[in-house]
Amino acid sequence: MSGHVYKVVELVGSSPDTIEAAIASALSRASDSVHAIRWFEVVNTRGHVVNGQVGHYQVTLKVGFTIDET
């Protein structure tokens, strides 16, 4: 039985709506070019303020995906 080997990349997703939408945006975009994404970890949350209001949320993620076996 072989174990999985993972590669980890860091992404930043953003959304004017919610933190969850920022996460979904990052994962959706990454899945266009990276296959076998298995997990994510939120490592930082921040935002942009415009006129005293939330302009958009930014979420930094660590994303793990499996390396293809040869």
Side-chain angles (χ1 to χ4, degrees), residues 19-50:
I19 291 169
E20 291 82 3
I23 293 168
S25 172
L27 293 173
S28 175
R29 190 72 162 289
S31 70
D32 288 343
S33 59
V34 176
H35 68 279
I37 293 175
R38 301 291 185 221
W39 56 267
F40 72 92
E41 173 187 1
V42 175
V43 295
N44 192 4
T45 305
R46 62 183 174 269
H48 179 79
V49 179
V50 177

Side-chain angles (χ1 to χ4, degrees), residues 3-8 35-36 38 64-70:
H4 291 291
V5 174
Y6 295 93
K7 171 77 175 170
V8 178
H35 68 279
R38 301 291 185 221
F65 59 95
T66 52
I67 300 296
D68 293 339
E69 292 189 33
T70 56

Side-chain angles (χ1 to χ4, degrees), residues 47-57:
H48 179 79
V49 179
V50 177
N51 297 324
Q53 302 290 325
V54 174
H56 67 271
Y57 300 92

